[in-house]
Amino acid sequence: MKDIKPRALAAFESDLKDTRKVSKVARLKIPRGTSAEIRFLPYQFGESGALFARYAIHWLNKTPVLCPVGTARDFGGDPNAQCPLCVAAANLNSSSNKDLSSFGYSARANPMWMSYCLVYEVSDDRGRVTETRDEDLMSPNEFWLTRASYDDLAPLYRDGFSTSDFSFMDPITGCNFKVISPKKGGTRFVQLAPGPLVERDEDVEGVLDDI
């Protein structure tokens, strides 16, 4: 099996951190019991032009470590790579010692999918709505989905390709979503009525470039 060189992965992780520092893109967090209305943006990642960037992360003592096996090829991953952390986590997880097994389970790689979105409003746990200020309305946010959240969104994402190559992210035929984070866990995606991000086709590229 092919190995991913540690130096290449280290360079990737460093580049990702540097990019965040330069761009200062906020990360959307939706606490339990709250919700947000968002619009996914059709940003295309990597050579494949994927609309979601898939990363797999091992968490070791609250430190993220990129896993090449579960990370998409566009971002340095390889499903045939050898990941020593995957091997160690599996061995520990199979241990008869409960503490070791628990640690091994928590050290497994967790795939996550990242996209960009605009945030129009947020609602707190009492249902009070705060609309995004006009000057911040076109500022993109990172939005990270867990496997469970991505699986819930996937049917809507797949169906959206029947109308556009950008699915529900299309700036003309796409739609907003109300994203609900229930107190009991999980994430719900409520697809709202289709509507244009911009009014005319000729405005699309300019608006997206500005964002």
Side-chain angles (χ1 to χ4, degrees):
M1 292 190 292
K2 182 180 178 181
D3 288 314
I4 294 292
K5 295 181 179 179
R7 182 180 299 178
L9 287 179
F12 167 78
E13 290 174 316
S14 176
D15 181 65
L16 183 61
K17 291 178 182 178
D18 290 343
T19 300
R20 284 182 180 155
K21 290 178 182 178
V22 172
S23 64
K24 296 183 180 179
V25 175
R27 177 179 293 190
L28 173 62
K29 296 182 179 179
I30 307 177
R32 291 296 171 206
T34 69
S35 64
E37 182 177 335
I38 70 169
R39 176 83 176 222
F40 286 100
L41 294 172
Y43 183 87
Q44 295 178 280
F45 296 92
E47 294 182 2
S48 69
L51 296 173
F52 287 95
R54 189 184 81 244
Y55 302 95
I57 304 294
H58 292 281
W59 288 93
L60 299 175
N61 296 323
K62 298 183 179 181
T63 300
V65 180
L66 187 73
C67 172
V69 177
T71 296
R73 293 182 185 275
D74 279 346
F75 314 108
D78 183 342
N80 297 316
Q82 291 182 343
C83 176
L85 287 179
C86 282
V87 174
N91 289 337
L92 289 171
N93 187 218
S94 63
S95 172
S96 58
N97 183 294
K98 290 184 178 181
D99 290 337
L100 289 178
S101 179
S102 177
F103 180 77
Y105 183 85
S106 65
R108 297 181 309 163
N110 295 300
M112 298 190 74
W113 287 259
M114 193 271 280
S115 66
Y116 291 108
C117 71
L118 301 179
V119 180
Y120 294 121
E121 64 180 41
V122 296
S123 300
D124 65 17
D125 57 357
R126 296 184 180 181
R128 295 174 297 191
V129 176
T130 301
E131 295 184 350
T132 302
R133 298 179 302 177
D134 289 345
E135 58 266 34
D136 297 328
L137 196 57
M138 302 304 283
S139 298
N141 288 252
E142 288 184 2
F143 187 34
W144 290 81
L145 304 177
T146 63
R147 179 191 292 277
S149 297
Y150 184 79
D151 287 346
D152 287 341
L153 185 63
L156 300 175
Y157 181 49
R158 187 182 302 110
D159 290 346
F161 286 109
S162 64
T163 57
S164 170
D165 289 342
F166 294 114
S167 184
F168 51 60
M169 299 185 189
D170 190 282
I172 301 299
T173 63
C175 63
N176 295 357
F177 279 85
K178 184 172 184 179
V179 185
I180 303 170
S181 180
K183 291 182 178 181
K184 294 182 178 181
T187 303
R188 288 179 53 210
F189 296 91
V190 179
Q191 194 169 15
L192 304 180
L197 181 62
V198 294
E199 294 302 325
R200 300 185 303 275
D201 288 359
E202 59 266 26
D203 292 335
V204 173
E205 291 188 6
V207 170
L208 294 178
D209 286 343
D210 289 342
I211 294 174

